[in-house]
Amino acid sequence: MSNKDRQITFENVSKFYGEVLGVNRVNLTIPPGITSLVGPNGSGKTTLMNLMTGLLCPTQGTIRVLGVPPDQPEALFRFLGYCTQYDSFPRGITGYQFVHSYLRLHGKTDSEARDLTQHALERVRLTDAADRKVAGYSKGMRQRIKLAQAISHWPLVLVLDEPLNGLDPLVRAETIALFRSLAEEGVHVIISSHILHEVDAISDQVILLSSGYVVAEGQIHGVRTEVEEHPMQILIRCERPGRLASRIFEQSSVVEARVHADGKGLLVRTRDPDEFYLALNRLVLDGVDLESVAPADDDVHSVYQYLIGPDGGSI
Amino acid sequence: MNSDSGNLWREQVMAIMRLEIKKNFLARRGLWIYLLALAPVLLFAGHSFERLRHGRVCDLGQDNLIFATVFQFFFLRLAVFFGCVGVFMNLFRGEMLEKSLHYYLLTPVRREVLLAGKYLSGVVTTVVIFGTSAALSLAGLYWHIHPQVVRQYLLEGGGLEHVAAYLGITALACIGYGGVFLLMSFLFNNPMIPAAIVLVWEGLNPFLPAALKKISVIFYLQSLCPLEAPLRSKWAFLAINANATPPYLAVPGLLLVTLAGLYLAARKVRKLEINYGAE
Ligand SMILES: Nc1ncnc2c1ncn2[C@@H]1O[C@H](COP(=O)(O)OP(=O)(O)OP(=O)(O)O)[C@@H](O)[C@H]1O
Ligand SMILES: [Mg+2]
């Protein structure tokens, strides 16, 4: 197996919902272990996960999950499980049936599917409630039955959209322990959250998203303490940096904008990256052509305010 | 395709059908489909009842013509037609509205296999509902006629062939309209728009040039009907089927139209995205 076949890669991936930007020019490599996608509401976490699993087709760019393109479900879901953020279920189904009937679509026999279902239910501690209708489950139980379904076929890649939502502290701790043990078994566990604090302790790496852009990526342990109040520096690669600079200065949050030494980019310092990225999106929609946008500070120091600021740190 | 993947596909199709057929029959929004299927049964039972009340006047030939007319102009063009709109337009769209479609898309099933499983479940559902309806309608029709006369008609007067033809045509109607409306469900969000378009198109069928006539379901079904419907002059144009196709061409013709619909639907389903927000 080549290295590429053990990773999840995004190459220059963009997704537009009509005029609305989902994610833009994402380049990522995700190795095994626990990876967290962190960003506020609407930053593109679900979009990235849906792209990775073929629920959405990218407008541009290529994605490979352990070497497999997401538009081949027959190959992809042999080794991938996805617990979505959608809190809906087929009508009238019990917890047991929910896990069992979709396992049958894997081509498992009835008894194989039964064993796998039992095991998955045990792992999320839902055996007792298995024969009740999912419609009558509590929020936390629905979250766990979705998790059971996602892990039921022993996937190598587990994608979980806000899996800790609605869990009480005890179950949350158990669930985190489950993620850890899966990661130790060599599984890629990809978790999204809008609270950095919630996941940074368990993650091997963190990907920070804001308004559809990857703003930072890397090992995050202790990063919050290192972050200072300095304005964030962003490098924008484009053909005519001078013209872009004049438009970007219209933003009140921009402290400084200067053309890069090589003349093919613009270095911007901003106090409010959130607002800045939004403004940048508007420029892109106006037809301004950007080659790439990336934090200019190489490390995760450029984590922006929201994630480590009052909101993100309070929970 | 090798035989391994062939087996897998078959198992997957069966697993999908098990889930879907239950859902189709029990769908709350599908209640009116049962009413559509019940209507002709009640109509013919009522007809028999009337005749019985006024003494036995059995005119088998007359009754068969009444049935032929109702079958062509109510049963096929409206009951089965809208029944298929209700079932097939909802196979994917209904799950999009209920936000449960992604569970299928997250299994190792080719999108085309999912399409096939859902389509076949729709065919089973509609054939059972409307096949039963056609059979009960015929039973209702012959109810007032002396059993001896009915038996003689069935066994010696070509009656059994007629009954078989009606049931076969009903099944073909479900197969054909199923393919058409499954495709339409990928093209339109509101099921009433394609229903109206197809209804008008099929109504215009007698006036279309020969080549366009063939892009239709009713054209083939009409060619297969065992008795011509005797329409009064004002409506006679609906029945004109100048170049009626013989059965050995009509059946493959209808299947070809269905396959074309399914092929286009398969191309659509490959590009299908989960978009629960925008509905
Ligand atoms: N179906 C859609 N149609 C139009 N725009 C969409 C659609 N889905 C997402 N978007 C937009 O794409 C952007 C990213 O959305 P996404 O759902 O990926 O964010 P998220 O990080 O998962 O947010 P949340 O924390 O609320 O789940 C948002 O601006 C959102 O409005
Ligand atoms: Mg989300």
Side-chain angles (χ1 to χ4, degrees):
Chain A
M1 222 192 235
S2 81
N3 209 25
K4 248 196 154 160
D5 292 342
R6 303 197 52 228
Q7 290 174 335
I8 298 165
T9 56
F10 284 74
E11 267 173 44
N12 203 21
V13 173
S14 301
K15 174 68 190 178
F16 287 85
Y17 299 96
E19 289 276 278
V20 182
L21 177 72
V23 295
N24 201 11
R25 296 186 182 264
V26 170
N27 286 289
L28 280 178
T29 303
I30 306 177
I34 300 184
T35 302
S36 294
L37 289 177
V38 185
N41 295 133
S43 55
K45 305 181 293 292
T46 300
T47 303
L48 271 191
M49 291 184 157
N50 284 355
L51 285 167
M52 201 186 295
T53 51
L55 294 187
L56 292 173
C57 313
T59 313
Q60 199 188 81
T62 31
I63 303 165
R64 291 288 179 274
V65 181
L66 313 194
V68 174
D71 65 358
Q72 292 178 6
E74 64 277 19
L76 185 68
F77 294 105
R78 294 262 159 234
F79 61 80
L80 191 148
Y82 180 17
C83 173
T84 65
Q85 73 174 17
Y86 310 119
D87 190 21
S88 48
F89 296 84
R91 191 174 292 172
I93 207 161
T94 67
Y96 181 91
Q97 288 167 343
F98 174 62
V99 179
H100 182 269
S101 55
Y102 288 98
L103 272 172
R104 293 282 272 147
L105 296 184
H106 287 245
K108 310 264 184 228
T109 65
D110 188 48
S111 69
E112 283 169 341
R114 223 177 299 161
D115 292 345
L116 289 170
T117 305
Q118 285 300 352
H119 188 86
L121 290 170
E122 277 161 30
R123 281 195 108 163
V124 301
R125 298 183 186 276
L126 266 186
T127 314
D128 291 339
D131 292 325
R132 282 170 43 197
K133 293 251 160 84
V134 175
Y137 279 12
S138 71
K139 167 97 176 123
M141 289 163 83
R142 294 201 299 276
Q143 199 66 29
R144 279 185 287 154
I145 196 72
K146 286 195 296 181
L147 184 60
Q149 198 222 21
I151 63 172
S152 61
H153 61 293
W154 294 91
L156 295 173
V157 178
L158 191 56
V159 184
L160 309 155
D161 202 352
E162 316 224 1
L164 301 174
N165 253 3
L167 302 184
D168 64 48
L170 184 67
V171 178
R172 179 183 290 239
E174 279 176 8
T175 309
I176 287 175
L178 174 62
F179 298 159
R180 279 228 182 85
S181 76
L182 287 166
E184 276 159 25
E185 291 165 22
V187 175
H188 284 73
V189 183
I190 299 158
I191 302 172
S192 79
S193 172
H194 56 276
I195 309 161
L196 179 66
H197 173 74
E198 181 177 73
V199 289
D200 66 349
I202 59 166
S203 308
D204 297 314
Q205 73 156 351
V206 173
I207 295 163
L208 300 181
L209 292 168
S210 172
S211 306
Y213 290 92
V214 173
V215 292
E217 165 194 10
Q219 295 179 354
I220 198 73
H221 298 295
V223 72
R224 272 180 298 140
T225 53
E226 292 173 34
V227 174
E228 295 176 38
E229 288 257 335
H230 68 79
M232 180 173 158
Q233 183 156 292
I234 298 165
L235 175 59
I236 303 172
R237 289 276 174 202
C238 61
E239 274 301 316
R240 294 178 175 165
R243 282 182 60 169
L244 183 63
S246 63
R247 298 201 57 174
I248 275 184
F249 252 125
E250 292 164 12
Q251 306 304 319
S252 56
S253 65
V254 171
V255 184
E256 183 188 351
R258 62 189 156 84
V259 176
H260 193 264
D262 62 15
K264 289 196 182 116
L266 194 66
L267 272 165
V268 180
R269 278 152 67 83
T270 171
R271 284 199 190 281
D272 188 347
D274 231 344
E275 191 195 312
F276 177 75
Y277 278 115
L278 278 175
L280 204 57
N281 286 350
R282 283 195 293 274
L283 289 183
V284 170
L285 290 175
D286 281 350
V288 174
D289 196 26
L290 307 181
E291 258 168 54
S292 71
V293 179
D297 309 8
D298 281 337
D299 50 7
V300 284
H301 288 220
S302 49
V303 174
Y304 68 102
Q305 202 65 31
Y306 169 87
L307 289 163
I308 26 66
D311 251 280
S314 64
I315 298 181
Chain B
M1 136 183 145
N2 57 34
S3 78
D4 262 6
S5 60
N7 277 340
L8 176 65
W9 293 352
R10 208 177 53 227
E11 270 165 38
Q12 290 178 329
V13 165
M14 297 300 289
I16 294 166
M17 286 176 71
R18 273 196 298 273
L19 284 171
E20 290 292 304
I21 288 176
K22 199 161 65 184
K23 219 163 23 183
N24 289 346
F25 276 115
L26 299 180
R28 241 172 274 166
R29 73 169 115 234
L31 200 65
W32 55 273
I33 296 171
Y34 288 104
L35 295 179
L36 268 182
L38 195 63
V41 180
L42 294 181
L43 181 77
F44 287 112
H47 165 78
S48 276
F49 186 69
E50 271 303 296
R51 290 276 167 99
L52 281 177
R53 257 192 1 162
H54 296 103
R56 283 174 190 263
V57 206
C58 46
D59 185 345
L60 196 65
Q62 171 84 35
D63 280 351
N64 278 336
L65 288 180
I66 294 176
F67 186 85
T69 312
V70 172
F71 184 81
Q72 276 197 36
F73 294 100
F74 169 75
F75 192 72
L76 291 182
R77 282 174 190 253
L78 296 175
V80 177
F81 183 93
F82 281 104
C84 287
V85 172
V87 170
F88 289 91
M89 288 284 298
N90 276 322
L91 287 175
F92 283 87
R93 194 181 140 273
E95 281 211 279
M96 200 65 112
L97 292 175
E98 284 179 10
K99 307 191 179 186
S100 57
L101 185 58
H102 62 280
Y103 292 119
Y104 274 126
L105 304 190
L106 298 177
T107 56
V109 176
R110 286 180 68 111
R111 296 272 179 103
E112 293 86 343
V113 174
L114 175 62
L115 185 89
K118 279 191 170 257
Y119 171 71
L120 290 175
S121 79
V123 169
V124 170
T125 310
T126 48
V127 167
V128 168
I129 292 178
F130 289 103
T132 310
S133 165
L136 289 179
S137 298
L138 282 167
L141 173 72
Y142 297 139
W143 172 37
H144 73 286
I145 297 173
H146 196 280
Q148 199 58 48
V149 179
V150 174
R151 181 175 310 148
Q152 191 179 2
Y153 163 65
L154 288 179
L155 298 181
E156 288 156 36
L160 267 187
E161 280 96 71
H162 284 187
V163 171
Y166 283 127
L167 293 179
I169 294 167
T170 303
L172 284 172
C174 297
I175 290 170
Y177 284 127
V180 170
F181 289 116
L182 184 55
L183 170 63
M184 293 295 171
S185 74
F186 292 106
L187 305 177
F188 298 89
N189 275 330
N190 181 343
M192 280 308 131
I193 296 171
I197 294 175
V198 178
L199 197 66
V200 169
W201 175 257
E202 301 231 307
L204 291 176
N205 193 271
F207 309 108
L208 296 176
L212 288 181
K213 268 189 177 149
K214 300 198 168 69
I215 310 174
S216 153
V217 175
I218 198 72
F219 170 74
Y220 301 104
L221 296 178
Q222 223 162 20
S223 305
L224 289 166
C225 282
L227 290 179
E228 213 162 289
L231 283 184
R232 295 209 188 87
S233 55
K234 196 167 71 168
W235 295 103
F237 68 86
L238 275 175
I240 299 173
N241 199 349
N243 34 7
T245 320
Y248 67 89
L249 287 180
V251 175
L254 183 134
L255 295 179
L256 217 63
V257 169
T258 308
L259 281 179
L262 289 177
Y263 170 77
L264 294 174
R267 289 181 47 155
K268 283 280 171 194
V269 81
R270 278 204 70 86
K271 297 257 174 316
L272 182 69
E273 295 191 328
I274 288 295
N275 191 357
Y276 294 150
E279 284 279 323

